[in-house]
Amino acid sequence: APVEYRLYAVWTMFLIGAVFRAVLVSTLLRTRLLRGILIPASSLRRGLALALDAGYIGLFRMLRMVRNRIDVILVGILFVSAIPGLTVGPDEPRGIYAQAVRVIVIFHTFTLAFTTAIFPKLARLTQDRSQLQEARRSYRQAVDWQAWWSAPLAAGLFFYAGTVCGWFGPKYQLGMPELGITASTADVLRVLLIAVFLDCVGGTMGALMIGMMDMERRIPLLGLAIAGTSVTMNVILIPRYGLMGAAWSSVAAAAVEFVLKVFLVARIFGNPVPLLARIVPHSLVAAAMIWLLVLLGLRDHALLGVLAGALFYAVASLALGLTHPAIVAKLRAVSSRVLRR
């Protein structure tokens, strides 16, 4: 499409996708979940009641989105060139920073899909005190799963950040020092990976917290706290430290959110340390994976490094009992069929 129509093309594709999803979801809901059930007639009063009922969680989601996106906006407004007297437009620093944000979207996508899938089960279990032990077990497995895939992916991206960002062009790999933009997309990405790892392992806590009935009206306060932290830190750090200030602001907001979630979830399960300690083995194996790649001299050989790192992490996880039982059972079934042949 011509350049002047590309934005409209993107918007049109989003609109088509939204309409398709709305039609598909409503059709599946009526045919599979609500078949044979008399659905009350829709009315403005019922619609407003539903909106108010979901408003607290909706407000929390909105404030959390502010936390996730405000740094990109403020970078373009508050960035100050490292070269005295040189004025830089908003597009250059925002573009370099936003490219790192686009790379970590993969973490948010996987985490959102997983927490959306597990939320109904956790919400149901936490409402019945007699099933608290089962809720604890499900929560432990969920944290294990999130740490199992996110730790090696974050470590690998951290190690190969320069290579990955080089695929987008020289300015993303090296920055733009001629404009006083000394940080590159790779530098920003390495810091943002800390924040996104906290988001991944804390995603299950968020699902559990939203399912707590007594938290429904107070959850916007959590959103306000993390959004306020993000805005405040960005305003303080971006003028002084540029793109890296925005990245560390994101880490600060993620850390505040993680700590608050830990305290809130501890109200259900008590001392959170034993559960959070399950993150440590995955992180240590991921660190050992990077150490191995350094020893093998694979920093400049991304493809071989990914293969070697994935093989090491898979074998180490299986040997140490860190792999999810469902995956282990599937591997055993496949190996049994292969051996029988």
Side-chain angles (χ1 to χ4, degrees), residues 5-73:
Y5 294 119
R6 288 181 182 176
L7 181 61
Y8 297 105
V10 172
W11 180 82
T12 301
M13 294 306 297
F14 271 116
L15 181 61
I16 293 173
V19 171
F20 176 76
R21 181 176 63 178
V23 172
L24 179 63
V25 169
S26 62
T27 301
L28 292 175
L29 184 65
R30 290 177 179 274
T31 57
R32 297 191 179 186
L33 295 180
L34 301 177
R35 179 183 297 175
I37 299 177
L38 181 62
I39 303 175
S42 59
S43 67
L44 180 60
R45 178 179 295 180
R46 292 186 67 249
L48 290 175
L50 181 62
L52 290 174
D53 188 48
Y56 297 104
I57 294 177
L59 181 58
F60 167 73
R61 295 286 192 188
M62 182 183 70
L63 289 169
R64 196 177 185 283
M65 186 61 68
V66 170
R67 191 225 100 176
N68 287 340
R69 296 292 180 265
I70 196 65
D71 48 352
V72 178
I73 297 173

Side-chain angles (χ1 to χ4, degrees), residues 31-315:
T31 57
R32 297 191 179 186
L33 295 180
L34 301 177
R35 179 183 297 175
I37 299 177
L38 181 62
I39 303 175
S42 59
S43 67
L44 180 60
R45 178 179 295 180
R46 292 186 67 249
L48 290 175
L50 181 62
L52 290 174
D53 188 48
Y56 297 104
I57 294 177
L59 181 58
F60 167 73
R61 295 286 192 188
M62 182 183 70
L63 289 169
R64 196 177 185 283
M65 186 61 68
V66 170
R67 191 225 100 176
N68 287 340
R69 296 292 180 265
I70 196 65
D71 48 352
V72 178
I73 297 173
L74 292 180
V75 158
I77 299 172
L78 301 174
F79 179 82
V80 177
S81 173
I83 301 176
L86 180 63
T87 301
V88 179
D91 293 339
E92 287 79 8
R94 182 181 293 153
I96 291 176
Y97 187 89
Q99 196 65 23
V101 175
R102 294 186 187 102
V103 173
I104 64 173
V105 164
I106 184 174
F107 289 88
H108 291 142
T109 301
F110 288 163
T111 300
L112 179 61
F114 180 70
T115 53
T116 301
I118 199 172
F119 168 73
K121 180 178 181 181
L122 288 177
R124 184 179 67 253
L125 292 174
T126 52
Q127 301 310 311
D128 187 351
R129 303 299 295 181
S130 65
Q131 293 186 310
L132 195 58
Q133 193 61 32
E134 174 63 19
R136 187 182 181 88
R137 187 185 69 82
S138 298
Y139 174 68
R140 183 178 66 246
Q141 289 182 343
V143 172
D144 270 345
W145 166 253
Q146 287 292 95
W148 181 77
W149 71 262
S150 61
L153 185 56
L157 271 175
F158 187 97
F159 189 67
Y160 287 115
T163 300
V164 171
C165 295
W167 297 341
F168 309 126
K171 72 175 183 179
Y172 298 107
Q173 187 177 32
L174 306 173
M176 302 178 72
E178 69 278 7
L179 296 179
I181 305 175
T182 55
S184 67
T185 297
D187 298 325
V188 172
L189 177 59
R190 291 188 181 99
V191 176
L192 288 181
L193 285 168
I194 302 172
V196 81
F197 181 67
L198 290 175
D199 286 343
C200 286
V201 295
T204 307
M205 298 182 203
L208 191 63
M209 180 186 64
I210 291 174
M212 297 163 62
M213 293 297 293
D214 59 337
M215 279 297 300
E216 184 176 354
R217 293 179 180 272
R218 287 183 285 177
I219 198 171
L221 296 177
L222 173 62
L224 187 62
I226 59 179
T229 300
S230 180
V231 172
T232 302
M233 295 300 294
N234 274 291
V235 170
I236 294 173
L237 296 182
I238 291 176
R240 183 172 297 183
Y241 301 108
L243 304 189
M244 299 306 291
W248 283 111
S249 296
S250 185
V251 173
V256 168
E257 179 178 355
F258 184 80
V259 171
L260 289 175
K261 284 179 176 178
V262 167
F263 278 110
L264 292 171
V265 170
R267 294 173 52 191
I268 300 178
F269 295 139
N271 183 9
V273 174
L275 285 173
L276 295 178
R278 303 183 69 85
I279 302 170
V280 176
H282 301 284
S283 302
L284 292 177
V285 174
M289 176 188 75
I290 299 302
W291 180 70
L292 175 65
L293 296 181
V294 172
L295 287 181
L296 295 177
L298 296 177
R299 180 177 289 276
D300 297 324
H301 305 280
L303 181 58
L304 287 176
V306 168
L307 294 175
L311 179 61
F312 172 83
Y313 189 84
V315 172

